[in-house]
Amino acid sequence: MTDLTPAASAAAVGTTAVRAPGTAPTRTPGGYTPALAAVNFGVYLALLTPVLVSMAFKVQRLSESTAEATGNLGLILGVGALFALVANPLAGRLSDRTTSRWGMRRPWILGGSLVGLGAFAIIGTATNIWVVLVAWCVVQAAMNAALAAANATLPDQVPAAHRGKVSGVVGLTTPLGILGGNFIVNFLADDVARFVVPALIAAVLAVLFVIVLKDRRLETKPASKFTITQFFGSFVFNPVKHRDFGWTWLTKFLVMFGYAGIATFLPFYLTEKFALDEQGAIGVILIANLASMGAMAISGPVGGILSDRIGKRRPFVAFAGVIMVVGLVVLAFAPDITTVVVAQAIIGLGAGSFLSVDLALATQVLPNPDDTAKDLGVLNIANALPQSIAPAIAPGIIALGATTPLGGYTVYYLFGALVSLAGAVLVYRIKGVK
């Protein structure tokens, strides 16, 4: 293969752009926003379908009792989320240093999605809990590497004044991924298809994003080698020196605990409290997520656009937290299936506002413009950690709650409501963003 100069290489590839590190983009490339939304949708479709639906039933079939299934699910999702916690910022930092002729982000996006697809196939065919656990850890590492690199393109490609709008569009991909996964699972009867089909869609969308993306490309290798200190530095920051970044991280963690961490056990909640079978629970989850998606379709874009126009981010995050608290309380005391659906719609209304503004706010408090992906990866720990902590502590909280008149799942959802409320309050500790 002919060796090309940087300028000739960029022209030959057609989808890379040389720009000095830390240089802000002046406009958003055509086609970028829908392509970024598509790859986010694919990753969330692949990751959240197991978290919220198919993994619970897979584990239940490999366990001897409901109590054992609850513990196994908590173990698998909890340990897997720890791998996501490590992979996201580490892959982000490495992508900041990637000097591939194909760009800084694209190798990670494509590679992560393809490795994840293979691991999903292993989960689908697994007949042992430990095989599922190992494969799920690979899935979390690979798919989060792809997600970290994909979302790091936002500050690479979009001017700060327009990030709320783009973030609002991307924010819709989380509920769309959940909804799409529920819809797909509803028509797939076997485990292999339930895990592989969403992952295959994610891989196809990752390929399309890689084709469309005008990726940044480093002209020269970083001056310093990637050291052990830098490795561990990929997962930490100085909260005293970068206070706004620290408060943003904590706010994100608390709100996402209420949204993502609590939702994991909804299939068990439905089967236990309302005596639904597996297919009945999947059907209710689909309807509930339709309601949630409808609410998010309203609050998401509106929140992002208004945030850009008003020039404020914090009120939308605070509003999101409070509304989610209301939804979680309603869910905790739901007397029937209809109320469960209404509660999910309320939670979706709040989550739409949060997800539409959260990414835009995060990009405005990053400590170092040269470490964009690394710092966004650290923030994404706040996404992954609740999915590790919540399943880990859920069996204990549910068991403790079962000894009270309220019941185990009611206590669990109320706990999530309190955590989200704390996030809504603490967002006002961020001073550098209105």
Side-chain angles (χ1 to χ4, degrees), residues 284 287-289 291-292 331 334 336-346:
V284 171
I287 295 171
N289 283 315
S292 178
L331 181 62
D336 50 44
I337 295 298
T338 301
T339 307
V340 171
V341 173
V342 171
Q344 289 292 94
I346 296 172

Side-chain angles (χ1 to χ4, degrees), residues 132-160:
V132 174
L133 172 61
V134 172
W136 181 247
C137 290
V138 175
V139 162
Q140 284 282 25
M143 299 303 286
N144 272 276
L147 187 64
N151 286 338
T153 65
L154 179 64
D156 285 349
Q157 305 286 332
V158 182

Side-chain angles (χ1 to χ4, degrees), residues 320-335:
V322 171
I323 296 301
M324 287 172 62
V325 167
V326 174
L328 286 166
V329 171
V330 172
L331 181 62
F333 293 102

Side-chain angles (χ1 to χ4, degrees), residues 87-93 95 105 108-109 143-153 372-374 376-377 380:
N88 205 301
L90 179 59
R93 184 156 208 169
S95 78
R105 318 298 184 192
W108 296 91
I109 297 167
M143 299 303 286
N144 272 276
L147 187 64
N151 286 338
T153 65
T372 296
K374 174 261 182 182
L376 284 175
N380 276 323

Side-chain angles (χ1 to χ4, degrees), residues 136-205:
W136 181 247
C137 290
V138 175
V139 162
Q140 284 282 25
M143 299 303 286
N144 272 276
L147 187 64
N151 286 338
T153 65
L154 179 64
D156 285 349
Q157 305 286 332
V158 182
H162 299 157
R163 290 175 192 167
K165 179 180 178 181
V166 177
S167 181
V169 174
V170 173
L172 284 175
T173 62
T174 300
L176 278 173
I178 294 171
L179 181 61
N182 290 160
F183 183 81
I184 290 171
V185 168
N186 206 41
F187 295 97
L188 299 175
D190 66 281
D191 285 333
V192 176
R194 286 180 177 180
F195 285 96
V196 171
V197 171
L200 183 60
I201 294 172
V204 171
L205 294 176

